Amino acid sequence: MATAKRIGELQACSMNVGFTQGDLYISYLQSFMAKTESQDNKLPRFFKVLSLADLVDNDEDRLLCPVRAVKFYLNKVKDSRGSCQNLFVSIKNNNLPLKKNAMSYFVKMDFLY
């Protein structure tokens, strides 16, 4: 969530992620076209999220690693995930993507605490 991406871009993240040397690569759904994208200005189809594991000294700080959080999330939803191909799925209906307003709410809550 801390990628400085638009909410629409976060909602269009695919559940098919990759891990290389501890870092995370997140791709977009095939059908996604960003609000700022055009024929002349194509959005890269994936982005990299760096791991904090090698940068922090204590276990408490490692809990803040975004790569660790995505791995944890994917493990938690793997058995209950429906047919939805989005990375973030609805809590009430795991066959649907998490809605933009729900994502905005969670991002806002993170900044309040």
Side-chain angles (χ1 to χ4, degrees):
M1 297 268 190
T3 62
K5 300 283 185 190
R6 292 175 177 267
I7 288 294
E9 292 176 36
L10 290 176
Q11 184 190 37
C13 290
S14 170
M15 70 174 210
N16 299 316
V17 299
F19 298 94
T20 303
Q21 298 175 343
D23 296 330
L24 170 67
Y25 288 87
I26 299 177
S27 62
Y28 294 108
L29 298 170
Q30 290 278 3
S31 60
F32 174 67
M33 185 165 180
K35 183 177 181 177
T36 58
E37 191 172 6
S38 68
Q39 288 292 91
D40 299 330
N41 183 25
K42 291 281 187 186
L43 180 75
R45 297 316 297 169
F46 68 90
F47 58 95
K48 182 179 181 179
V49 179
L50 299 175
S51 173
L52 298 180
D54 296 333
L55 302 175
V56 296
D57 294 332
N58 62 44
D59 289 337
E60 188 174 320
D61 287 342
R62 288 190 182 163
L63 294 176
L64 301 174
C65 179
V67 175
R68 180 191 166 283
V70 170
K71 284 181 180 179
F72 180 82
Y73 169 76
L74 288 172
N75 189 44
K76 280 290 193 188
V77 298
K78 71 179 177 184
D79 294 331
S80 63
R81 179 180 285 277
S83 60
C84 183
Q85 294 297 305
N86 295 64
L87 177 60
F88 302 108
V89 293
S90 171
I91 297 166
K92 293 180 181 177
N93 183 349
N94 56 18
N95 288 311
L96 298 173
L98 188 62
K99 293 185 180 191
K100 291 179 189 178
N101 61 348
M103 292 183 90
S104 296
Y105 173 79
F106 290 128
V107 168
K108 184 172 98 174
M109 289 303 295
D110 185 45
F111 289 121
L112 291 177
Y113 297 102

